[in-house]
């Protein structure tokens, strides 16, 4: 296995978490999974709905402040350190800032073999999943479906609109066992 880190980028309710669970089953050896949702859940309560932390608008918009950014940088560097120490990592991300969001990961993962994965899903389908989940702000899935992919290219892309998580994981796993791009 030559891939150190698999980074999945997709909007809310696009199916990333299901793919991550399937990847952990189909990839050889153990892979740790870390997601932006876990990071947000780990934040102290005072940084939720705070200008310096993270806020969610009624229509599904997301805004982050300086303290969130500082902690996010530490989180990213910490995940990269685990990969450098030999852990294989799957990251479940939402690049709300498009290419700028990816650049912070590229910097942190420099020198590691990274497989960049775009997880696409039709906005209406993602919105339906959002309602079914019941733990998301309505509008987030539809607003993120396209914006998170703007200006980005990937080593592999999957579309969960009509494809199950396991099949997407198999496509990603097949690519992960080949030589991924190494960050400069």
């Amino acid at each position: 296995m030559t891939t150190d880190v698999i980074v999945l980028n997709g909007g809310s309710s696009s199916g990333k978490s299901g793919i991550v669970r399937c990847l952990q089953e189909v990839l050889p050896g153990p892979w740790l999974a870390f997601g932006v949702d876990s990071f947000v859940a780990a934040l102290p309560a005072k940084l939720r709905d705070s200008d310096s932390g993270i806020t969610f608008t009624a229509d599904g918009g997301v805004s982050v402040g300086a303290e969130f950014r500082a902690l996010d940088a530490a989180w990213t560097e910490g995940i990269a350190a685990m990969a450098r120490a030999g852990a294989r990592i799957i990251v479940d991300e939402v690049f709300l800032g498009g290419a700028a969001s990816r650049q912070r990961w590229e910097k942190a993962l420099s020198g590691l073999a990274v497989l960049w994965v775009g997880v696409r899903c039709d906005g209406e389908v993602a919105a339906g999943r959002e309602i079914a989940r019941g733990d998301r702000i309505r509008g987030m899935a539809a607003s993120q479906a396209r914006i998170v992919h703007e200006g980005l290219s990937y080593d592999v892309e999957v579309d969960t609109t009509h494809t199950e998580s396991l099949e997407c994981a198999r496509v990603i796993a097949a690519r992960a066992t080949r030589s991924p791009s190494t960050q400069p």
Side-chain angles (χ1 to χ4, degrees):
M1 175 78 54
T2 57
T3 301
D4 300 313
V5 180
I6 300 171
V7 179
L8 286 85
N9 173 47
S12 179
S13 300
S14 64
K16 297 180 309 296
S17 297
I19 292 171
V20 168
R21 286 188 297 276
C22 291
L23 278 169
Q24 288 179 304
E25 290 298 317
V26 302
L27 287 166
W31 285 76
L32 298 176
F34 296 97
V36 66
D37 289 344
S38 299
F39 170 68
V40 171
L43 291 172
K46 66 182 177 182
L47 289 183
R48 292 187 205 118
D49 294 323
S50 159
D51 288 341
S52 63
I54 187 168
T55 58
F56 300 95
T57 61
D59 64 354
V62 180
S63 177
V64 298
E67 286 187 83
F68 178 95
R69 281 186 174 71
L71 290 171
D72 184 55
W75 164 269
T76 303
E77 291 294 333
I79 290 172
M82 286 187 289
R84 286 191 179 84
R88 287 181 275 177
I89 310 286
I90 304 168
V91 177
D92 170 345
E93 254 292 358
V94 181
F95 291 160
L96 292 175
S101 294
R102 178 169 159 167
Q103 287 171 352
R104 69 183 168 77
W105 277 103
E106 288 173 337
K107 180 181 175 196
L109 300 173
S110 177
L112 294 166
V114 179
L115 182 70
W116 298 97
V117 180
V119 179
R120 296 186 183 271
C121 183
D122 176 80
E124 288 185 29
V125 171
R129 292 176 186 169
E130 176 180 76
I131 292 168
R133 288 175 74 163
D135 65 348
R136 297 285 187 247
I137 298 168
R138 285 195 186 184
M140 189 178 290
S143 71
Q144 293 177 4
R146 284 184 304 198
I147 194 168
V148 299
H149 300 291
E150 289 180 2
L152 296 172
S153 61
Y154 301 100
D155 297 312
V156 64
E157 292 189 42
V158 294
D159 189 325
T160 65
T161 303
H162 302 292
T163 306
E164 293 296 324
S165 295
L166 181 57
E167 181 57 32
C168 292
R170 286 180 177 142
V171 168
I172 296 164
R175 183 62 176 88
T177 58
R178 297 188 311 208
S179 297
S181 58
T182 301
Q183 299 304 308

